mmCIF file of all heavy atoms in Angstrom:
data_model
loop_
_atom_site.group_PDB
_atom_site.id
_atom_site.type_symbol
_atom_site.label_atom_id
_atom_site.label_comp_id
_atom_site.label_asym_id
_atom_site.label_seq_id
_atom_site.Cartn_x
_atom_site.Cartn_y
_atom_site.Cartn_z
ATOM 1 N N ASN S 10 0.841 -1.186 0.000
ATOM 2 C CA ASN S 10 0.000 0.000 0.000
ATOM 3 C C ASN S 10 0.885 1.247 0.000
ATOM 4 O O ASN S 10 0.648 2.185 -0.752
ATOM 5 C CB ASN S 10 -0.905 -0.045 1.240
ATOM 6 C CG ASN S 10 -1.858 1.110 1.311
ATOM 7 O OD1 ASN S 10 -1.470 2.261 1.223
ATOM 8 N ND2 ASN S 10 -3.136 0.801 1.491
ATOM 9 N N LYS S 11 1.918 1.214 0.818
ATOM 10 C CA LYS S 11 2.819 2.370 0.941
ATOM 11 C C LYS S 11 3.541 2.645 -0.385
ATOM 12 O O LYS S 11 3.671 3.801 -0.792
ATOM 13 C CB LYS S 11 3.839 2.112 2.053
ATOM 14 C CG LYS S 11 4.773 3.270 2.299
ATOM 15 C CD LYS S 11 5.729 2.982 3.428
ATOM 16 C CE LYS S 11 6.683 4.160 3.603
ATOM 17 N NZ LYS S 11 7.715 3.902 4.571
ATOM 18 N N GLN S 12 3.998 1.592 -1.065
ATOM 19 C CA GLN S 12 4.682 1.781 -2.343
ATOM 20 C C GLN S 12 3.739 2.396 -3.376
ATOM 21 O O GLN S 12 4.125 3.313 -4.107
ATOM 22 C CB GLN S 12 5.222 0.449 -2.868
ATOM 23 C CG GLN S 12 6.390 -0.087 -2.069
ATOM 24 C CD GLN S 12 6.735 -1.513 -2.503
ATOM 25 O OE1 GLN S 12 5.879 -2.391 -2.491
ATOM 26 N NE2 GLN S 12 7.980 -1.715 -2.896
ATOM 27 N N ILE S 13 2.521 1.885 -3.436
ATOM 28 C CA ILE S 13 1.546 2.430 -4.384
ATOM 29 C C ILE S 13 1.279 3.893 -4.052
ATOM 30 O O ILE S 13 1.239 4.747 -4.941
ATOM 31 C CB ILE S 13 0.233 1.614 -4.366
ATOM 32 C CG1 ILE S 13 0.481 0.177 -4.841
ATOM 33 C CG2 ILE S 13 -0.829 2.288 -5.244
ATOM 34 C CD1 ILE S 13 -0.699 -0.765 -4.632
ATOM 35 N N SER S 14 1.122 4.175 -2.773
ATOM 36 C CA SER S 14 0.869 5.537 -2.313
ATOM 37 C C SER S 14 1.980 6.482 -2.755
ATOM 38 O O SER S 14 1.724 7.585 -3.238
ATOM 39 C CB SER S 14 0.727 5.545 -0.785
ATOM 40 O OG SER S 14 0.697 6.850 -0.290
ATOM 41 N N GLU S 15 3.228 6.036 -2.604
ATOM 42 C CA GLU S 15 4.372 6.873 -2.981
ATOM 43 C C GLU S 15 4.442 7.089 -4.489
ATOM 44 O O GLU S 15 4.705 8.201 -4.955
ATOM 45 C CB GLU S 15 5.676 6.250 -2.475
ATOM 46 C CG GLU S 15 5.809 6.316 -0.971
ATOM 47 C CD GLU S 15 6.978 5.492 -0.431
ATOM 48 O OE1 GLU S 15 7.691 4.822 -1.212
ATOM 49 O OE2 GLU S 15 7.173 5.520 0.807
ATOM 50 N N VAL S 16 4.191 6.038 -5.261
ATOM 51 C CA VAL S 16 4.260 6.152 -6.720
ATOM 52 C C VAL S 16 3.156 7.069 -7.243
ATOM 53 O O VAL S 16 3.396 7.922 -8.099
ATOM 54 C CB VAL S 16 4.172 4.754 -7.383
ATOM 55 C CG1 VAL S 16 3.993 4.870 -8.885
ATOM 56 C CG2 VAL S 16 5.406 3.926 -7.066
ATOM 57 N N LEU S 17 1.946 6.893 -6.731
ATOM 58 C CA LEU S 17 0.806 7.682 -7.206
ATOM 59 C C LEU S 17 0.733 9.060 -6.569
ATOM 60 O O LEU S 17 -0.035 9.910 -7.022
ATOM 61 C CB LEU S 17 -0.506 6.940 -6.939
ATOM 62 C CG LEU S 17 -0.706 5.602 -7.647
ATOM 63 C CD1 LEU S 17 -2.049 5.004 -7.264
ATOM 64 C CD2 LEU S 17 -0.609 5.772 -9.150
ATOM 65 N N GLU S 18 1.492 9.237 -5.503
ATOM 66 C CA GLU S 18 1.476 10.492 -4.740
ATOM 67 C C GLU S 18 0.075 10.798 -4.208
ATOM 68 O O GLU S 18 -0.452 11.894 -4.364
ATOM 69 C CB GLU S 18 2.021 11.649 -5.577
ATOM 70 C CG GLU S 18 3.472 11.462 -5.972
ATOM 71 C CD GLU S 18 4.022 12.568 -6.866
ATOM 72 O OE1 GLU S 18 3.226 13.276 -7.534
ATOM 73 O OE2 GLU S 18 5.254 12.720 -6.897
ATOM 74 N N VAL S 19 -0.530 9.763 -3.602
ATOM 75 C CA VAL S 19 -1.829 9.892 -2.944
ATOM 76 C C VAL S 19 -1.718 9.247 -1.571
ATOM 77 O O VAL S 19 -0.767 8.540 -1.280
ATOM 78 C CB VAL S 19 -2.973 9.221 -3.752
ATOM 79 C CG1 VAL S 19 -3.135 9.881 -5.115
ATOM 80 C CG2 VAL S 19 -2.753 7.730 -3.901
ATOM 81 N N SER S 20 -2.714 9.467 -0.734
ATOM 82 C CA SER S 20 -2.694 8.894 0.616
ATOM 83 C C SER S 20 -2.895 7.381 0.566
ATOM 84 O O SER S 20 -3.443 6.838 -0.396
ATOM 85 C CB SER S 20 -3.791 9.528 1.475
ATOM 86 O OG SER S 20 -5.062 9.095 1.026
ATOM 87 N N GLN S 21 -2.485 6.719 1.644
ATOM 88 C CA GLN S 21 -2.676 5.273 1.735
ATOM 89 C C GLN S 21 -4.153 4.921 1.817
ATOM 90 O O GLN S 21 -4.568 3.862 1.341
ATOM 91 C CB GLN S 21 -1.888 4.709 2.917
ATOM 92 C CG GLN S 21 -0.392 4.730 2.657
ATOM 93 C CD GLN S 21 0.407 4.034 3.738
ATOM 94 O OE1 GLN S 21 -0.076 3.110 4.382
ATOM 95 N NE2 GLN S 21 1.640 4.480 3.938
ATOM 96 N N SER S 22 -4.970 5.799 2.388
ATOM 97 C CA SER S 22 -6.413 5.526 2.428
ATOM 98 C C SER S 22 -7.004 5.598 1.016
ATOM 99 O O SER S 22 -7.911 4.830 0.680
ATOM 100 C CB SER S 22 -7.139 6.475 3.384
ATOM 101 O OG SER S 22 -7.047 7.801 2.934
ATOM 102 N N GLU S 23 -6.485 6.502 0.198
ATOM 103 C CA GLU S 23 -6.933 6.565 -1.202
ATOM 104 C C GLU S 23 -6.526 5.290 -1.942
ATOM 105 O O GLU S 23 -7.291 4.753 -2.747
ATOM 106 C CB GLU S 23 -6.345 7.795 -1.902
ATOM 107 C CG GLU S 23 -6.723 7.918 -3.367
ATOM 108 C CD GLU S 23 -8.214 8.139 -3.621
ATOM 109 O OE1 GLU S 23 -8.946 8.544 -2.691
ATOM 110 O OE2 GLU S 23 -8.659 7.887 -4.751
ATOM 111 N N VAL S 24 -5.337 4.763 -1.637
ATOM 112 C CA VAL S 24 -4.888 3.499 -2.240
ATOM 113 C C VAL S 24 -5.832 2.377 -1.816
ATOM 114 O O VAL S 24 -6.232 1.554 -2.645
ATOM 115 C CB VAL S 24 -3.424 3.172 -1.859
ATOM 116 C CG1 VAL S 24 -3.043 1.753 -2.290
ATOM 117 C CG2 VAL S 24 -2.467 4.192 -2.459
ATOM 118 N N ASN S 25 -6.220 2.348 -0.537
ATOM 119 C CA ASN S 25 -7.175 1.332 -0.067
ATOM 120 C C ASN S 25 -8.466 1.396 -0.881
ATOM 121 O O ASN S 25 -9.019 0.360 -1.268
ATOM 122 C CB ASN S 25 -7.490 1.521 1.418
ATOM 123 C CG ASN S 25 -6.387 1.038 2.317
ATOM 124 O OD1 ASN S 25 -5.581 0.199 1.931
ATOM 125 N ND2 ASN S 25 -6.332 1.581 3.522
ATOM 126 N N ASN S 26 -8.959 2.626 -1.129
ATOM 127 C CA ASN S 26 -10.184 2.795 -1.924
ATOM 128 C C ASN S 26 -9.990 2.268 -3.344
ATOM 129 O O ASN S 26 -10.866 1.586 -3.878
ATOM 130 C CB ASN S 26 -10.608 4.266 -1.962
ATOM 131 C CG ASN S 26 -11.082 4.771 -0.615
ATOM 132 O OD1 ASN S 26 -11.503 3.998 0.236
ATOM 133 N ND2 ASN S 26 -10.989 6.082 -0.419
ATOM 134 N N LEU S 27 -8.842 2.578 -3.949
ATOM 135 C CA LEU S 27 -8.566 2.113 -5.310
ATOM 136 C C LEU S 27 -8.494 0.589 -5.368
ATOM 137 O O LEU S 27 -9.063 -0.036 -6.266
ATOM 138 C CB LEU S 27 -7.249 2.717 -5.820
ATOM 139 C CG LEU S 27 -7.237 4.229 -6.044
ATOM 140 C CD1 LEU S 27 -5.810 4.736 -6.225
ATOM 141 C CD2 LEU S 27 -8.095 4.588 -7.243
ATOM 142 N N ILE S 28 -7.800 -0.008 -4.392
ATOM 143 C CA ILE S 28 -7.676 -1.474 -4.336
ATOM 144 C C ILE S 28 -9.058 -2.109 -4.158
ATOM 145 O O ILE S 28 -9.399 -3.082 -4.845
ATOM 146 C CB ILE S 28 -6.730 -1.908 -3.190
ATOM 147 C CG1 ILE S 28 -5.301 -1.441 -3.443
ATOM 148 C CG2 ILE S 28 -6.799 -3.415 -2.959
ATOM 149 C CD1 ILE S 28 -4.542 -2.196 -4.499
ATOM 150 N N ASN S 29 -9.866 -1.540 -3.254
ATOM 151 C CA ASN S 29 -11.212 -2.085 -3.018
ATOM 152 C C ASN S 29 -12.083 -1.987 -4.269
ATOM 153 O O ASN S 29 -12.861 -2.899 -4.561
ATOM 154 C CB ASN S 29 -11.878 -1.395 -1.828
ATOM 155 C CG ASN S 29 -11.272 -1.832 -0.510
ATOM 156 O OD1 ASN S 29 -10.777 -2.949 -0.385
ATOM 157 N ND2 ASN S 29 -11.306 -0.943 0.468
ATOM 158 N N GLU S 30 -11.952 -0.891 -5.019
ATOM 159 C CA GLU S 30 -12.706 -0.754 -6.266
ATOM 160 C C GLU S 30 -12.258 -1.813 -7.274
ATOM 161 O O GLU S 30 -13.092 -2.404 -7.970
ATOM 162 C CB GLU S 30 -12.530 0.642 -6.854
ATOM 163 C CG GLU S 30 -13.307 1.708 -6.124
ATOM 164 C CD GLU S 30 -13.168 3.083 -6.768
ATOM 165 O OE1 GLU S 30 -12.932 3.155 -8.003
ATOM 166 O OE2 GLU S 30 -13.296 4.081 -6.038
ATOM 167 N N LEU S 31 -10.961 -2.051 -7.362
ATOM 168 C CA LEU S 31 -10.462 -3.083 -8.273
ATOM 169 C C LEU S 31 -10.956 -4.469 -7.854
ATOM 170 O O LEU S 31 -11.351 -5.275 -8.709
ATOM 171 C CB LEU S 31 -8.931 -3.054 -8.331
ATOM 172 C CG LEU S 31 -8.314 -1.927 -9.161
ATOM 173 C CD1 LEU S 31 -6.810 -1.837 -8.914
ATOM 174 C CD2 LEU S 31 -8.606 -2.131 -10.647
ATOM 175 N N ILE S 32 -10.949 -4.731 -6.553
ATOM 176 C CA ILE S 32 -11.455 -6.016 -6.045
ATOM 177 C C ILE S 32 -12.916 -6.183 -6.448
ATOM 178 O O ILE S 32 -13.323 -7.249 -6.926
ATOM 179 C CB ILE S 32 -11.268 -6.120 -4.512
ATOM 180 C CG1 ILE S 32 -9.779 -6.281 -4.178
ATOM 181 C CG2 ILE S 32 -12.082 -7.272 -3.940
ATOM 182 C CD1 ILE S 32 -9.449 -6.147 -2.698
ATOM 183 N N ASP S 33 -13.709 -5.126 -6.274
ATOM 184 C CA ASP S 33 -15.124 -5.170 -6.670
ATOM 185 C C ASP S 33 -15.266 -5.395 -8.175
ATOM 186 O O ASP S 33 -16.106 -6.176 -8.618
ATOM 187 C CB ASP S 33 -15.846 -3.886 -6.268
ATOM 188 C CG ASP S 33 -16.036 -3.750 -4.761
ATOM 189 O OD1 ASP S 33 -15.908 -4.782 -4.046
ATOM 190 O OD2 ASP S 33 -16.290 -2.622 -4.302
ATOM 191 N N ASP S 34 -14.436 -4.708 -8.969
ATOM 192 C CA ASP S 34 -14.475 -4.880 -10.427
ATOM 193 C C ASP S 34 -14.223 -6.334 -10.800
ATOM 194 O O ASP S 34 -14.933 -6.905 -11.627
ATOM 195 C CB ASP S 34 -13.423 -4.001 -11.117
ATOM 196 C CG ASP S 34 -13.753 -2.518 -11.076
ATOM 197 O OD1 ASP S 34 -14.887 -2.158 -10.680
ATOM 198 O OD2 ASP S 34 -12.857 -1.720 -11.422
ATOM 199 N N TYR S 35 -13.209 -6.934 -10.198
ATOM 200 C CA TYR S 35 -12.863 -8.326 -10.522
ATOM 201 C C TYR S 35 -13.946 -9.292 -10.057
ATOM 202 O O TYR S 35 -14.154 -10.325 -10.679
ATOM 203 C CB TYR S 35 -11.517 -8.717 -9.911
ATOM 204 C CG TYR S 35 -10.341 -7.989 -10.515
ATOM 205 C CD1 TYR S 35 -9.308 -7.522 -9.724
ATOM 206 C CD2 TYR S 35 -10.244 -7.764 -11.886
ATOM 207 C CE1 TYR S 35 -8.223 -6.861 -10.264
ATOM 208 C CE2 TYR S 35 -9.167 -7.097 -12.439
ATOM 209 C CZ TYR S 35 -8.161 -6.645 -11.626
ATOM 210 O OH TYR S 35 -7.097 -5.986 -12.171
ATOM 211 N N ASP S 36 -14.646 -8.953 -8.977
ATOM 212 C CA ASP S 36 -15.718 -9.817 -8.480
ATOM 213 C C ASP S 36 -16.989 -9.685 -9.320
ATOM 214 O O ASP S 36 -17.679 -10.666 -9.565
ATOM 215 C CB ASP S 36 -16.048 -9.497 -7.025
ATOM 216 C CG ASP S 36 -14.985 -10.018 -6.061
ATOM 217 O OD1 ASP S 36 -14.187 -10.882 -6.464
ATOM 218 O OD2 ASP S 36 -14.953 -9.550 -4.911
ATOM 219 N N GLU S 37 -17.306 -8.453 -9.745
ATOM 220 C CA GLU S 37 -18.540 -8.210 -10.480
ATOM 221 C C GLU S 37 -18.461 -8.698 -11.917
ATOM 222 O O GLU S 37 -19.434 -9.170 -12.464
ATOM 223 C CB GLU S 37 -18.875 -6.712 -10.472
ATOM 224 C CG GLU S 37 -19.346 -6.222 -9.121
ATOM 225 C CD GLU S 37 -19.635 -4.737 -9.127
ATOM 226 O OE1 GLU S 37 -19.856 -4.157 -10.201
ATOM 227 O OE2 GLU S 37 -19.630 -4.145 -8.040
ATOM 228 N N ILE S 38 -17.333 -8.570 -12.524
ATOM 229 C CA ILE S 38 -17.156 -8.963 -13.915
ATOM 230 C C ILE S 38 -16.557 -10.358 -13.919
ATOM 231 O O ILE S 38 -15.722 -10.699 -13.099
ATOM 232 C CB ILE S 38 -16.211 -7.974 -14.636
ATOM 233 C CG1 ILE S 38 -16.764 -6.548 -14.535
ATOM 234 C CG2 ILE S 38 -16.011 -8.371 -16.086
ATOM 235 C CD1 ILE S 38 -15.783 -5.495 -14.997
ATOM 236 N N ASP S 39 -16.978 -11.178 -14.855
ATOM 237 C CA ASP S 39 -16.441 -12.529 -14.954
ATOM 238 C C ASP S 39 -14.996 -12.439 -15.438
ATOM 239 O O ASP S 39 -14.723 -12.407 -16.639
ATOM 240 C CB ASP S 39 -17.303 -13.353 -15.917
ATOM 241 C CG ASP S 39 -16.978 -14.829 -15.829
ATOM 242 O OD1 ASP S 39 -16.348 -15.248 -14.838
ATOM 243 O OD2 ASP S 39 -17.351 -15.561 -16.753
ATOM 244 N N ARG S 40 -14.079 -12.344 -14.501
ATOM 245 C CA ARG S 40 -12.659 -12.171 -14.800
ATOM 246 C C ARG S 40 -11.878 -13.371 -14.300
ATOM 247 O O ARG S 40 -12.309 -14.094 -13.421
ATOM 248 C CB ARG S 40 -12.124 -10.916 -14.091
ATOM 249 C CG ARG S 40 -12.848 -9.625 -14.426
ATOM 250 C CD ARG S 40 -12.500 -9.047 -15.778
ATOM 251 N NE ARG S 40 -11.130 -8.653 -15.914
ATOM 252 C CZ ARG S 40 -10.659 -7.430 -15.678
ATOM 253 N NH1 ARG S 40 -11.474 -6.482 -15.286
ATOM 254 N NH2 ARG S 40 -9.389 -7.169 -15.833
ATOM 255 N N GLY S 41 -10.691 -13.578 -14.852
ATOM 256 C CA GLY S 41 -9.845 -14.699 -14.471
ATOM 257 C C GLY S 41 -8.848 -14.365 -13.387
ATOM 258 O O GLY S 41 -8.113 -15.238 -12.931
ATOM 259 N N ILE S 42 -8.789 -13.101 -12.985
ATOM 260 C CA ILE S 42 -7.828 -12.699 -11.957
ATOM 261 C C ILE S 42 -8.541 -12.041 -10.790
ATOM 262 O O ILE S 42 -9.694 -11.635 -10.890
ATOM 263 C CB ILE S 42 -6.748 -11.748 -12.515
ATOM 264 C CG1 ILE S 42 -7.378 -10.487 -13.144
ATOM 265 C CG2 ILE S 42 -5.859 -12.458 -13.520
ATOM 266 C CD1 ILE S 42 -6.378 -9.459 -13.602
ATOM 267 N N LYS S 43 -7.800 -11.961 -9.695
ATOM 268 C CA LYS S 43 -8.302 -11.285 -8.506
ATOM 269 C C LYS S 43 -7.103 -10.675 -7.789
ATOM 270 O O LYS S 43 -5.951 -10.950 -8.129
ATOM 271 C CB LYS S 43 -9.034 -12.269 -7.584
ATOM 272 C CG LYS S 43 -8.119 -13.329 -6.991
ATOM 273 C CD LYS S 43 -8.889 -14.258 -6.074
ATOM 274 C CE LYS S 43 -7.926 -15.256 -5.441
ATOM 275 N NZ LYS S 43 -8.567 -16.078 -4.443
ATOM 276 N N ILE S 44 -7.374 -9.864 -6.800
ATOM 277 C CA ILE S 44 -6.315 -9.286 -5.979
ATOM 278 C C ILE S 44 -6.265 -10.058 -4.672
ATOM 279 O O ILE S 44 -7.277 -10.239 -4.008
ATOM 280 C CB ILE S 44 -6.564 -7.785 -5.706
ATOM 281 C CG1 ILE S 44 -6.522 -7.006 -7.029
ATOM 282 C CG2 ILE S 44 -5.528 -7.240 -4.727
ATOM 283 C CD1 ILE S 44 -6.870 -5.539 -6.891
ATOM 284 N N SER S 45 -5.075 -10.519 -4.335
ATOM 285 C CA SER S 45 -4.863 -11.196 -3.053
ATOM 286 C C SER S 45 -3.974 -10.312 -2.201
ATOM 287 O O SER S 45 -3.189 -9.516 -2.719
ATOM 288 C CB SER S 45 -4.184 -12.556 -3.267
ATOM 289 O OG SER S 45 -5.038 -13.415 -3.976
ATOM 290 N N GLN S 46 -4.094 -10.487 -0.895
ATOM 291 C CA GLN S 46 -3.299 -9.698 0.029
ATOM 292 C C GLN S 46 -2.676 -10.613 1.069
ATOM 293 O O GLN S 46 -3.330 -11.504 1.607
ATOM 294 C CB GLN S 46 -4.160 -8.645 0.729
ATOM 295 C CG GLN S 46 -3.379 -7.783 1.693
ATOM 296 C CD GLN S 46 -4.270 -6.793 2.433
ATOM 297 O OE1 GLN S 46 -5.486 -6.826 2.324
ATOM 298 N NE2 GLN S 46 -3.661 -5.920 3.205
ATOM 299 N N SER S 47 -1.410 -10.391 1.323
ATOM 300 C CA SER S 47 -0.705 -11.089 2.390
ATOM 301 C C SER S 47 0.026 -10.019 3.176
ATOM 302 O O SER S 47 0.905 -9.343 2.633
ATOM 303 C CB SER S 47 0.284 -12.099 1.809
ATOM 304 O OG SER S 47 1.034 -12.701 2.837
ATOM 305 N N GLN S 48 -0.361 -9.837 4.418
ATOM 306 C CA GLN S 48 0.107 -8.744 5.239
ATOM 307 C C GLN S 48 -0.243 -7.457 4.523
ATOM 308 O O GLN S 48 -1.388 -7.248 4.195
ATOM 309 C CB GLN S 48 1.586 -8.890 5.560
ATOM 310 C CG GLN S 48 1.869 -10.155 6.358
ATOM 311 C CD GLN S 48 3.335 -10.467 6.509
ATOM 312 O OE1 GLN S 48 4.206 -9.756 6.040
ATOM 313 N NE2 GLN S 48 3.614 -11.571 7.181
ATOM 314 N N ASP S 49 0.714 -6.589 4.218
ATOM 315 C CA ASP S 49 0.394 -5.335 3.529
ATOM 316 C C ASP S 49 0.819 -5.390 2.062
ATOM 317 O O ASP S 49 0.964 -4.377 1.411
ATOM 318 C CB ASP S 49 1.079 -4.154 4.241
ATOM 319 C CG ASP S 49 0.670 -2.811 3.665
ATOM 320 O OD1 ASP S 49 -0.511 -2.644 3.310
ATOM 321 O OD2 ASP S 49 1.551 -1.938 3.523
ATOM 322 N N ILE S 50 1.011 -6.596 1.512
ATOM 323 C CA ILE S 50 1.452 -6.742 0.134
ATOM 324 C C ILE S 50 0.283 -7.252 -0.707
ATOM 325 O O ILE S 50 -0.390 -8.210 -0.344
ATOM 326 C CB ILE S 50 2.645 -7.730 0.029
ATOM 327 C CG1 ILE S 50 3.799 -7.295 0.929
ATOM 328 C CG2 ILE S 50 3.104 -7.865 -1.417
ATOM 329 C CD1 ILE S 50 4.470 -5.998 0.546
ATOM 330 N N TYR S 51 0.057 -6.586 -1.839
ATOM 331 C CA TYR S 51 -1.016 -6.960 -2.757
ATOM 332 C C TYR S 51 -0.428 -7.648 -3.988
ATOM 333 O O TYR S 51 0.636 -7.274 -4.471
ATOM 334 C CB TYR S 51 -1.796 -5.725 -3.206
ATOM 335 C CG TYR S 51 -2.534 -5.039 -2.085
ATOM 336 C CD1 TYR S 51 -2.010 -3.914 -1.465
ATOM 337 C CD2 TYR S 51 -3.762 -5.522 -1.649
ATOM 338 C CE1 TYR S 51 -2.683 -3.290 -0.434
ATOM 339 C CE2 TYR S 51 -4.451 -4.895 -0.614
ATOM 340 C CZ TYR S 51 -3.902 -3.778 -0.021
ATOM 341 O OH TYR S 51 -4.579 -3.157 1.004
#
């Protein structure tokens, strides 16, 4: 989350929102991939 935040120059909470939106996108659309998380690594 921190790396994404630094690259995008946005807050970590904004990164959480972006990740959650992507997770929802992958769940709603019949897609072959998903986002997994282990500790703070996506």
Side-chain angles (χ1 to χ4, degrees):
N10 182 307
K11 183 178 178 186
Q12 290 171 305
I13 296 170
S14 171
E15 290 170 358
V16 170
L17 297 180
E18 297 177 338
V19 298
S20 70
Q21 289 187 29
S22 64
E23 178 65 18
V24 170
N25 284 337
N26 292 337
L27 293 167
I28 295 286
N29 287 331
E30 285 183 27
L31 284 169
I32 289 170
D33 290 343
D34 289 350
Y35 293 139
D36 285 343
E37 288 179 21
I38 303 170
D39 192 17
R40 303 284 297 267
I42 57 175
K43 66 179 183 174
I44 296 175
S45 295
Q46 181 183 7
S47 176
Q48 298 171 1
D49 186 38
I50 304 294
Y51 295 99

